[in-house]
Amino acid sequence: MPHASHTPDPPSAPGPSAPVSLLIADDDEVTRSGLRTLLAAQPGLTVVGEAADGVEVIDRVRELRPDVVLMDVRMPRRNGIEATRLLLAESGQPPKVVVITTFENDDYVTAALSAGASGFVLKRLPVRQIAEAVRVVAEGEAILFPQALRRMVAARPLRSVEALPTAALTAREEEVLRLMATGLSNAEIAERLVVGQQTVKTHVGNVLIKLGAQNRTHAVVIAYESGLVVPGFGGANG
């Protein structure tokens, strides 16, 4: 029988190769259950488990290895700040942490970002926005709300400006850091500076190393707290 020419089968699913696995940590059972039900129905997410406090979340992460933890900060036994710090100190591939909170001016949130959380979301946001935040963080970006972050940091005493080793940053790295503080993604920074995204990624990596920052959100917190970026900065001159 004639042999038909064979064309390779297309990939079975050209979209994401696997859903983002999510663990929800919140001490309020009603909130936790509601988030689980709503987020499990969102595309691209799989809720793999829950934790009721900052001690349990460490054990659950070790057991389930989620990509992202949605972390309440005010929890018994161990708060979300210390839990975040411990999770990110784990060897291997620690999960990304997204803080979920009721109040955007919560000092706990700023402390959690300083501990290495990749961003924060408000509990009152529509569930699709919370789901999008989880997906974005899983892809290695950050969730920044510059106005809210400015307000939070502005209400805290500034560190000594000497705490930020600005002399170690090149002029372009400092420029990239200022644009990061406005909430721009790597692609948006590349467009603003008319350079390639890989170049921006390299600059961001250098900034994180030089500042000793866990991630880009932590770098922005350091920039605000040191006074390098002031609360009124808008990045219009980038």
Side-chain angles (χ1 to χ4, degrees), residues 111-136:
L113 297 178
S114 295
S118 294
F120 71 95
V121 293
L122 302 176
K123 291 183 179 179
R124 67 173 182 266
L125 286 177
V127 68
R128 59 181 176 75
Q129 291 186 27
I130 297 175
E132 178 62 16
V134 170
R135 288 189 290 261
V136 167

Side-chain angles (χ1 to χ4, degrees), residues 8-21:
D9 294 330
S12 57
S17 57
V20 175
S21 57

Side-chain angles (χ1 to χ4, degrees), residues 56-74:
E56 185 181 3
V57 69
I58 303 295
D59 294 333
R60 297 293 280 163
V61 164
R62 289 171 179 164
E63 173 191 355
L64 300 169
R65 310 307 300 175
D67 299 314
V68 179
V69 175
L70 193 60
M71 180 87 75
D72 190 21
V73 285
R74 301 191 183 199

Side-chain angles (χ1 to χ4, degrees), residues 177-235:
L177 177 57
R178 290 180 185 276
L179 292 173
M180 286 163 58
T182 70
L184 296 185
S185 67
N186 284 357
E188 291 166 332
I189 293 173
E191 183 177 354
R192 178 74 66 91
L193 299 181
V194 197
V195 297
Q197 287 190 47
Q198 186 58 47
T199 298
V200 172
K201 187 175 181 181
T202 298
H203 288 316
V204 171
N206 290 340
V207 168
L208 300 190
I209 292 170
K210 291 180 179 181
L211 298 187
Q214 295 269 7
N215 51 43
R216 62 194 294 135
T217 309
H218 186 199
V220 170
V221 171
I222 293 172
Y224 274 122
E225 290 190 330
S226 68
L228 174 66
V229 176
V230 296
F233 175 72

